[in-house]
Amino acid sequence: MTSDPLHIAIAGTGRMGKAVEATAKKRGHSIVGRFNRLNPVTLKTLNASNPDVIIDFTGPQVAVTHMRLYSMSNTSAVIGTTGWYDHLKEVMNVFNANSSGLVYGSNFSLGIQLLFQALNTLAPLLDQLTEFDITLHESHHSAKLDSPSGTAIDLANAILGKLQRKKRWSLPTVPYDASTLEVTSTRLGHVFGQHRVLIDGPSDYLVFEHTAKNRDGFAMGAVLAAEWIQGRKGFYSVEEMMDHWVKHHLNS
């Protein structure tokens, strides 16, 4: 990741946006624009702030409109908003056709990305170790609206992409279907975010768990993505970014 100072704009100035701003400043970057409902993202406001990259944690109702504007103004972007993936191919085509770049993801936490890397290695082994079964559980605070979480769905799809004997993911069903990866959710109190991958065999039980303690991990991942996208064009998931980063450092 580059450490050159960047001019960063932030879309969404709530708690996540404030965490992103604090992290960006600690890494030597400057904040040149803050966008919210009172100061919305438009071509005029984008051009006035002229950022190297914009980090967007707004909402799904405006995400696609924002991304079209970022593309039109050739502004690279980091998108932490979820709920817009029905338009993913459309946005991908737009950014692949211009000179700016975009990184998107349901979870920019570096810890979660380490979990993805571990599952990429582990899941294929379970096709040979058929006595082991695997499931996934996530817990979040009671105000969270979606269930399962976007991160849980991404983890499930990552497992399905590597584990051939699991054909789909689903909420629990009766009777149990061994070809289905069960995904379960809990909404409880003030739990910030927890994802657990459970692997059970006749003699062993493994747990891979990520627990978010605050927003700082998400903010750091988003700022690192803003640094990484500099000089690149096209459309990338945060998992693709991390794969590139891991391969670069393993080969250096």
Side-chain angles (χ1 to χ4, degrees), residues 122 126 129-136 165-166 176 181 197-208:
L122 177 66
L126 298 181
L129 301 170
T130 56
E131 66 272 25
F132 286 90
D133 203 1
I134 184 169
T135 189
L136 195 156
R165 61 184 165 100
K166 295 292 186 182
Y176 175 71
L181 173 67
V197 177
L198 313 168
I199 301 171
D200 185 70
S203 304
D204 305 89
Y205 183 73
L206 296 85
V207 179
F208 291 80

Side-chain angles (χ1 to χ4, degrees), residues 1 103-104 107-117 120 220-222 224-225 228 232 236-250:
M1 310 285 182
V103 183
Y104 76 97
N107 195 322
F108 278 85
S109 162
L110 298 180
I112 276 287
Q113 295 308 316
L114 291 176
L115 179 56
F116 274 105
Q117 293 294 323
N120 286 341
M220 177 61 78
L224 290 178
W228 181 83
R232 291 182 169 88
Y236 305 90
S237 69
V238 65
E239 291 80 20
E240 288 173 317
M241 180 194 79
M242 287 301 297
D243 285 342
H244 182 277
W245 187 81
V246 168
K247 290 174 183 177
H248 171 76
H249 284 276
L250 287 177

Side-chain angles (χ1 to χ4, degrees), residues 7-11 32 35 41-56 66-79 91 94-95 98-103 226 229-234:
H7 294 147
I8 295 176
I10 296 172
V32 295
F35 300 107
V41 176
T42 66
L43 281 177
K44 182 177 180 179
T45 55
L46 274 174
N47 290 334
S49 58
N50 192 28
D52 296 314
V53 60
I54 186 163
I55 299 176
D56 189 317
H66 283 183
M67 286 183 278
R68 291 194 189 107
L69 291 171
Y70 303 152
S71 174
M72 291 171 64
S73 63
N74 284 321
T75 302
S76 292
V78 174
I79 308 297
V91 176
V94 166
F95 271 85
N98 72 12
S99 60
S100 56
L102 181 146
V103 183
I229 199 63
Q230 296 307 298
R232 291 182 169 88
K233 60 172 292 185

Side-chain angles (χ1 to χ4, degrees), residues 16 64 145 166 223:
M16 191 66 236
V64 175
L145 299 178
K166 295 292 186 182
V223 174

